[in-house]
Amino acid sequence: MAEKKKTNIILFSGDYDKAMAAYIIANGAAAYDHDVTVFHTFWGLNALRKDEKLQPKKTFMEKMFGKMMPRGADKLPLSKMQYGGMGPKMIKAVMKKHNAMSLPDLIDMAKEQDITILACTMTMDLLGLKEEELLDGIEYGGVAAYIAEGEDGAINLFV
Amino acid sequence: MAEKKKTNIILFSGDYDKAMAAYIIANGAAAYDHDVTVFHTFWGLNALRKDEKLQPKKTFMEKMFGKMMPRGADKLPLSKMQYGGMGPKMIKAVMKKHNAMSLPDLIDMAKEQDITILACTMTMDLLGLKEEELLDGIEYGGVAAYIAEGEDGAINLFV
Amino acid sequence: MAEKKKTNIILFSGDYDKAMAAYIIANGAAAYDHDVTVFHTFWGLNALRKDEKLQPKKTFMEKMFGKMMPRGADKLPLSKMQYGGMGPKMIKAVMKKHNAMSLPDLIDMAKEQDITILACTMTMDLLGLKEEELLDGIEYGGVAAYIAEGEDGAINLFV
């Protein structure tokens, strides 16, 4: 058993709280010396969007999706207690007071800990998200990439 | 290790996008030669309903649930961006354009790949769903059936 | 392989139906002689709140969270078909008729089966939940406690 244990998290959700949970577990597992992959699919891709208004060439539908979906980790809504945006502000205020790491900080930490951040190319195609719109330093793959990692995982989660 | 690896997915959610993710992973794992089971429980059962108006004998409450819940995979709402039904139409239009498989197609493919589709009998009792209302070619079982499969799973997910 | 198999469930969700699913699986796995842990984090902590109005010393924000979040397992909303509270009433009526166990009963049964119920201390800090507000007979820990259990889990789920 010289090999490292693996943790693979599918982040399907585009909610701030769920993405936070995913990255807290990911960073925790990396601290326990696991090989960790976070596979962003569907709405989970929004956590990887850059907080800039890029204008890549898009179809009408892709532009619509682009406008309707949150632009980056800091813009994600909560899965509960959204209250028209007040919930996220409250949570972020409390987190700051407790010196808890924000979601963008958790993602930065994941990169520093060599966690593989994988963006689902199939969903990117569907939603019209381009590589230039997503964070630097991430990898790209489809369901095959996930299965290859997941089948050896000590911890596999769908968030 | 002559035995096949196992993937077991609990589909609790009744959302189109989540069910799609579950069946993309299920079909992907089957393509990698895993023994795959999708265990439909709670709202996940709605993905298995036939798109017909059957009239099995039901109590008042069962009829209510029957009316309130979506009738089959194609009728499921999205977990995000539902927008009174516009979201699912947009997603399906985009999927068609990209030649991506619809949820009903993904379920058909799962059957062709010999994926076991298991309907949770306990929830069927609670919600008053009868076998005749669900797709043909599926199996029935409770939590014991799930544990028996899940405890040997290489990939276990709750969707 | 004299050791018991392990099942570890992260209960992130604060929904009645999802918590029910988590505890049905947990109790099922315990019946199959697994070592079982349910790790309550984020909104999942609400399932562990006592159904009493305690008045621990809290900041303004902590009081707000305390008021906004449901007080105990029996008060949780549904993830679907909430209908201003009618959904949970319907489900509970049907469950009673079918002699299905309620969520509080399932949690009691989990304790009797020696399932470890773990409350996430990091989220308790964030949301201002105190030990005296949570059920007796539970344990406390952070992400490290989860990883230590989860990395040996036969079944790991995120609910």
Side-chain angles (χ1 to χ4, degrees), chain C residues 52-58 63 67 71 130 132-133:
Chain C
E52 315 164 2
K53 273 212 171 159
L54 293 164
Q55 302 285 0
K57 234 186 138 207
K58 294 203 180 191
K63 274 185 200 154
K67 272 189 214 297
R71 212 176 280 276
K130 316 292 180 192
E132 63 200 274
E133 294 178 271

PDB file of all heavy atoms in Angstrom, chain C residues 52-58 63 67 71 130 132-133:
ATOM      1  N   GLU C  52     -36.700  22.671  21.791  1.00  0.00           N
ATOM      2  CA  GLU C  52     -36.987  23.524  22.946  1.00  0.00           C
ATOM      3  C   GLU C  52     -36.423  24.901  22.655  1.00  0.00           C
ATOM      4  O   GLU C  52     -35.477  25.056  21.904  1.00  0.00           O
ATOM      5  CB  GLU C  52     -36.273  23.031  24.208  1.00  0.00           C
ATOM      6  CG  GLU C  52     -36.356  21.562  24.453  1.00  0.00           C
ATOM      7  CD  GLU C  52     -35.301  21.134  25.481  1.00  0.00           C
ATOM      8  OE1 GLU C  52     -34.567  22.009  26.001  1.00  0.00           O
ATOM      9  OE2 GLU C  52     -35.229  19.922  25.749  1.00  0.00           O
ATOM     10  N   LYS C  53     -36.994  25.897  23.287  1.00  0.00           N
ATOM     11  CA  LYS C  53     -36.440  27.241  23.137  1.00  0.00           C
ATOM     12  C   LYS C  53     -35.399  27.489  24.209  1.00  0.00           C
ATOM     13  O   LYS C  53     -35.699  27.954  25.298  1.00  0.00           O
ATOM     14  CB  LYS C  53     -37.558  28.286  23.213  1.00  0.00           C
ATOM     15  CG  LYS C  53     -38.207  28.537  21.872  1.00  0.00           C
ATOM     16  CD  LYS C  53     -38.682  29.975  21.737  1.00  0.00           C
ATOM     17  CE  LYS C  53     -39.126  30.212  20.305  1.00  0.00           C
ATOM     18  NZ  LYS C  53     -40.028  31.364  20.176  1.00  0.00           N
ATOM     19  N   LEU C  54     -34.173  27.146  23.909  1.00  0.00           N
ATOM     20  CA  LEU C  54     -33.086  27.440  24.829  1.00  0.00           C
ATOM     21  C   LEU C  54     -32.610  28.861  24.564  1.00  0.00           C
ATOM     22  O   LEU C  54     -32.766  29.386  23.476  1.00  0.00           O
ATOM     23  CB  LEU C  54     -31.948  26.452  24.607  1.00  0.00           C
ATOM     24  CG  LEU C  54     -32.299  25.015  24.988  1.00  0.00           C
ATOM     25  CD1 LEU C  54     -31.301  24.054  24.394  1.00  0.00           C
ATOM     26  CD2 LEU C  54     -32.378  24.852  26.493  1.00  0.00           C
ATOM     27  N   GLN C  55     -32.016  29.489  25.570  1.00  0.00           N
ATOM     28  CA  GLN C  55     -31.542  30.856  25.385  1.00  0.00           C
ATOM     29  C   GLN C  55     -30.053  30.995  25.697  1.00  0.00           C
ATOM     30  O   GLN C  55     -29.680  31.750  26.599  1.00  0.00           O
ATOM     31  CB  GLN C  55     -32.353  31.814  26.284  1.00  0.00           C
ATOM     32  CG  GLN C  55     -33.845  31.793  26.044  1.00  0.00           C
ATOM     33  CD  GLN C  55     -34.266  32.516  24.771  1.00  0.00           C
ATOM     34  OE1 GLN C  55     -33.429  33.048  24.054  1.00  0.00           O
ATOM     35  NE2 GLN C  55     -35.547  32.516  24.481  1.00  0.00           N
ATOM     36  N   PRO C  56     -29.212  30.250  24.967  1.00  0.00           N
ATOM     37  CA  PRO C  56     -27.783  30.426  25.235  1.00  0.00           C
ATOM     38  C   PRO C  56     -27.347  31.822  24.799  1.00  0.00           C
ATOM     39  O   PRO C  56     -28.011  32.460  23.994  1.00  0.00           O
ATOM     40  CB  PRO C  56     -27.131  29.351  24.380  1.00  0.00           C
ATOM     41  CG  PRO C  56     -28.106  29.033  23.317  1.00  0.00           C
ATOM     42  CD  PRO C  56     -29.468  29.355  23.841  1.00  0.00           C
ATOM     43  N   LYS C  57     -26.241  32.261  25.345  1.00  0.00           N
ATOM     44  CA  LYS C  57     -25.724  33.585  25.003  1.00  0.00           C
ATOM     45  C   LYS C  57     -25.264  33.596  23.543  1.00  0.00           C
ATOM     46  O   LYS C  57     -24.431  32.800  23.138  1.00  0.00           O
ATOM     47  CB  LYS C  57     -24.533  33.918  25.913  1.00  0.00           C
ATOM     48  CG  LYS C  57     -24.700  35.252  26.635  1.00  0.00           C
ATOM     49  CD  LYS C  57     -23.455  35.639  27.416  1.00  0.00           C
ATOM     50  CE  LYS C  57     -23.149  37.114  27.251  1.00  0.00           C
ATOM     51  NZ  LYS C  57     -21.727  37.437  27.407  1.00  0.00           N
ATOM     52  N   LYS C  58     -25.822  34.485  22.765  1.00  0.00           N
ATOM     53  CA  LYS C  58     -25.495  34.529  21.348  1.00  0.00           C
ATOM     54  C   LYS C  58     -25.321  35.956  20.864  1.00  0.00           C
ATOM     55  O   LYS C  58     -25.903  36.879  21.418  1.00  0.00           O
ATOM     56  CB  LYS C  58     -26.632  33.894  20.531  1.00  0.00           C
ATOM     57  CG  LYS C  58     -26.825  32.414  20.768  1.00  0.00           C
ATOM     58  CD  LYS C  58     -27.528  31.785  19.571  1.00  0.00           C
ATOM     59  CE  LYS C  58     -27.731  30.301  19.803  1.00  0.00           C
ATOM     60  NZ  LYS C  58     -28.153  29.614  18.578  1.00  0.00           N
ATOM     61  N   LYS C  63     -28.354  34.772  16.769  1.00  0.00           N
ATOM     62  CA  LYS C  63     -29.796  34.715  17.113  1.00  0.00           C
ATOM     63  C   LYS C  63     -30.635  34.666  15.843  1.00  0.00           C
ATOM     64  O   LYS C  63     -31.616  33.936  15.765  1.00  0.00           O
ATOM     65  CB  LYS C  63     -30.176  35.929  17.960  1.00  0.00           C
ATOM     66  CG  LYS C  63     -29.919  35.723  19.450  1.00  0.00           C
ATOM     67  CD  LYS C  63     -30.435  36.929  20.247  1.00  0.00           C
ATOM     68  CE  LYS C  63     -29.747  36.965  21.609  1.00  0.00           C
ATOM     69  NZ  LYS C  63     -29.684  38.317  22.166  1.00  0.00           N
ATOM     70  N   LYS C  67     -33.177  31.710  14.707  1.00  0.00           N
ATOM     71  CA  LYS C  67     -34.615  31.886  14.445  1.00  0.00           C
ATOM     72  C   LYS C  67     -34.981  31.408  13.044  1.00  0.00           C
ATOM     73  O   LYS C  67     -36.066  30.872  12.812  1.00  0.00           O
ATOM     74  CB  LYS C  67     -34.979  33.366  14.574  1.00  0.00           C
ATOM     75  CG  LYS C  67     -35.358  33.781  15.990  1.00  0.00           C
ATOM     76  CD  LYS C  67     -35.911  35.204  15.965  1.00  0.00           C
ATOM     77  CE  LYS C  67     -35.540  35.967  17.233  1.00  0.00           C
ATOM     78  NZ  LYS C  67     -36.094  35.399  18.478  1.00  0.00           N
ATOM     79  N   ARG C  71     -36.057  24.109  13.969  1.00  0.00           N
ATOM     80  CA  ARG C  71     -35.635  23.663  15.282  1.00  0.00           C
ATOM     81  C   ARG C  71     -35.924  22.174  15.445  1.00  0.00           C
ATOM     82  O   ARG C  71     -36.931  21.792  16.030  1.00  0.00           O
ATOM     83  CB  ARG C  71     -36.410  24.470  16.328  1.00  0.00           C
ATOM     84  CG  ARG C  71     -35.694  24.760  17.621  1.00  0.00           C
ATOM     85  CD  ARG C  71     -36.558  25.636  18.506  1.00  0.00           C
ATOM     86  NE  ARG C  71     -36.518  27.041  18.159  1.00  0.00           N
ATOM     87  CZ  ARG C  71     -35.576  27.889  18.576  1.00  0.00           C
ATOM     88  NH1 ARG C  71     -34.609  27.460  19.354  1.00  0.00           N
ATOM     89  NH2 ARG C  71     -35.613  29.145  18.212  1.00  0.00           N
ATOM     90  N   LYS C 130     -24.897  25.927  19.742  1.00  0.00           N
ATOM     91  CA  LYS C 130     -24.158  25.485  20.925  1.00  0.00           C
ATOM     92  C   LYS C 130     -24.484  24.017  21.238  1.00  0.00           C
ATOM     93  O   LYS C 130     -25.584  23.554  20.931  1.00  0.00           O
ATOM     94  CB  LYS C 130     -24.542  26.343  22.135  1.00  0.00           C
ATOM     95  CG  LYS C 130     -24.628  27.833  21.856  1.00  0.00           C
ATOM     96  CD  LYS C 130     -23.281  28.453  21.561  1.00  0.00           C
ATOM     97  CE  LYS C 130     -23.410  29.947  21.285  1.00  0.00           C
ATOM     98  NZ  LYS C 130     -22.202  30.532  20.732  1.00  0.00           N
ATOM     99  N   GLU C 132     -25.406  22.641  23.899  1.00  0.00           N
ATOM    100  CA  GLU C 132     -26.620  22.483  24.707  1.00  0.00           C
ATOM    101  C   GLU C 132     -27.902  22.528  23.866  1.00  0.00           C
ATOM    102  O   GLU C 132     -28.958  22.107  24.326  1.00  0.00           O
ATOM    103  CB  GLU C 132     -26.674  23.562  25.788  1.00  0.00           C
ATOM    104  CG  GLU C 132     -26.766  24.976  25.216  1.00  0.00           C
ATOM    105  CD  GLU C 132     -26.350  26.058  26.191  1.00  0.00           C
ATOM    106  OE1 GLU C 132     -27.203  26.493  26.980  1.00  0.00           O
ATOM    107  OE2 GLU C 132     -25.171  26.451  26.151  1.00  0.00           O
ATOM    108  N   GLU C 133     -27.797  23.048  22.645  1.00  0.00           N
ATOM    109  CA  GLU C 133     -28.986  23.110  21.768  1.00  0.00           C
ATOM    110  C   GLU C 133     -29.185  21.841  20.965  1.00  0.00           C
ATOM    111  O   GLU C 133     -30.212  21.670  20.321  1.00  0.00           O
ATOM    112  CB  GLU C 133     -28.844  24.272  20.779  1.00  0.00           C
ATOM    113  CG  GLU C 133     -28.853  25.640  21.408  1.00  0.00           C
ATOM    114  CD  GLU C 133     -28.658  26.715  20.347  1.00  0.00           C
ATOM    115  OE1 GLU C 133     -27.486  27.059  20.052  1.00  0.00           O
ATOM    116  OE2 GLU C 133     -29.664  27.200  19.809  1.00  0.00           O
TER     117      GLU C 133
END
